[in-house]
Amino acid sequence: MARIGLVLGAGGMVGHAFHAGVLSALVHETGFDARDTHVIVGTSAGSVVGSLLRAGLAPADLAAHARGEPLSAEGAAFVARAERYVPPSSPPPRPARGALGAMAAPGVLLRLGMQPWQARPGVVAAAAMPVGTIPTDGVAAGLRAVAPAGWPAGLWIVAVRLDNGKRAVFGRDGAAVDDVATAAAASCAIPGFFAPVSIDGVRYVDGGAHSPTNADLLSGSGLDLVIVSSPMSVVGRPLRADLAARQLCRFYLAREVAAIRRRGTPVLTFQPTVADLAVMGFNAMDATRVPRVVAQAHESALRRLARPDVADRMEIVRSTARQPA
């Protein structure tokens, strides 16, 4: 059976929906179930989706739940177990502005000032912003209810250390956490909005501050294929206010994909098209767009999978499809 790696990038609630659409299209078109991937790299929203897959939630149920549609019996039981532990929904509080000059990690800015060639815009922003105040309890609660005991094999969750600005990869680096829910909460701690998550005395924030995808972690892993779902980048040059930010995300992804391909592993990427972005909007935390984004990403992914130029990678995907019971 082919060894497939799956990269699930950052993107908030809308990014979560994009992942659900892509993964449901893969299983619909090829029979490939993302739960069977050899390794999953999850960043921010991708860390939650990856954790749910490793906990056993099927891609079809992930998409159905996001769209408010009926789930399988297994999926309904899974979601019910998770939702018993999720705090009641309420309007999210506004993040505190913080005192002028109250930067989250001034020491990181000082270090990067002496080594500017190592500076990444996201890390600089995370260090310069005031510390976020909104807890990530809502992220961790549901995952804690469904996550298996110990750390699932082949799950890498990416966060950024606020003490030195470096990337941390839970599940790979031997970092001091065996709790998937806490690691995912750290990966989702958007700088300046969510409070950093402390693990063993170290504060962590959103892994997207280093890279929205962190796909380069799979370079040289000996995989037969890497699949990347990248909600924050872009295909083409649509006229949008966030085009520059999305092009920067695409630049990072292109470098990461090149690093993987140089080591002999083919890559299949899914990035938002102009039509996708029209549905996704500009606010990554806009829950009202989630059902429409799932549907749009699903259809967009199906069109990509039908293209002749991805036929070679489709053969690899189909070779890993589950056989009917």
Side-chain angles (χ1 to χ4, degrees):
M1 180 178 289
R3 290 159 47 97
I4 296 180
L6 177 63
V7 176
L8 300 169
M13 299 179 71
V14 170
H16 183 120
F18 184 87
H19 293 319
V22 167
L23 297 179
S24 64
L26 279 166
V27 73
H28 178 273
E29 182 66 19
T30 70
F32 169 70
D33 191 316
R35 292 176 293 180
D36 297 332
T37 48
H38 183 72
V39 60
I40 299 173
V41 176
T43 301
S44 198
S47 74
V48 175
V49 174
S51 298
L52 290 172
L53 292 172
R54 281 296 188 248
L57 185 64
D61 284 324
L62 179 72
H65 181 252
R67 295 182 68 174
E69 297 175 349
L71 282 70
S72 69
E74 179 187 28
F78 182 101
V79 170
R81 193 163 73 251
E83 289 181 342
R84 282 199 297 269
Y85 289 84
V86 176
S89 60
S90 59
R94 295 178 65 86
R97 291 182 178 274
L100 183 64
M103 295 181 290
V108 170
L109 291 179
L110 179 61
R111 182 178 66 82
L112 292 177
M114 295 187 296
Q115 299 174 314
W117 58 89
Q118 294 186 354
R120 286 186 172 238
V123 174
V124 172
M129 286 181 179
V131 175
T133 58
I134 298 175
T136 53
D137 297 349
V139 174
L143 286 178
R144 193 163 284 120
V146 297
W151 191 274
L155 176 63
W156 296 355
I157 291 179
V158 184
V160 168
R161 295 176 59 125
L162 264 185
D163 61 340
N164 59 19
K166 294 184 178 180
R167 178 169 65 181
V169 186
F170 298 110
R172 189 201 70 164
D173 293 345
V177 62
D178 58 5
D179 176 3
V180 168
T182 300
S187 184
C188 291
I190 300 171
F193 190 86
F194 286 115
V197 174
S198 293
I199 300 173
D200 199 28
V202 176
R203 295 181 303 158
Y204 294 88
V205 293
D206 197 312
H210 180 86
S211 162
T213 42
N214 292 289
D216 60 302
L217 292 170
L218 295 184
S219 176
S221 296
L223 298 167
D224 297 298
L225 175 69
V226 171
I227 299 172
V228 182
S229 177
S230 174
M232 292 186 67
S233 55
V234 63
V235 173
R237 295 176 59 88
L239 294 175
R240 288 175 56 93
D242 63 351
L243 178 60
R246 286 190 171 275
Q247 286 184 319
L248 179 61
C249 295
R250 181 180 174 90
F251 170 74
Y252 281 142
L253 177 59
R255 289 202 311 183
E256 293 164 5
V257 167
I260 297 170
R261 287 175 173 157
R262 279 197 300 269
R263 303 295 292 271
T265 300
V267 183
L268 176 61
T269 62
F270 296 88
Q271 303 178 76
T273 64
V274 174
D276 297 338
L277 291 174
V279 178
M280 294 170 74
F282 293 93
N283 180 3
M285 303 302 287
D286 186 353
T288 66
R289 292 182 176 268
V290 165
R292 289 174 291 159
V293 172
V294 176
Q296 174 62 36
H298 180 97
E299 293 303 317
S300 184
L302 288 179
R303 287 192 292 272
R304 174 146 177 72
L305 293 172
R307 286 170 43 174
D309 61 334
V310 302
D312 56 337
R313 285 155 286 173
M314 285 290 286
E315 290 182 9
I316 300 173
V317 175
R318 288 195 172 98
S319 73
T320 314
R322 292 190 178 191
Q323 299 300 316

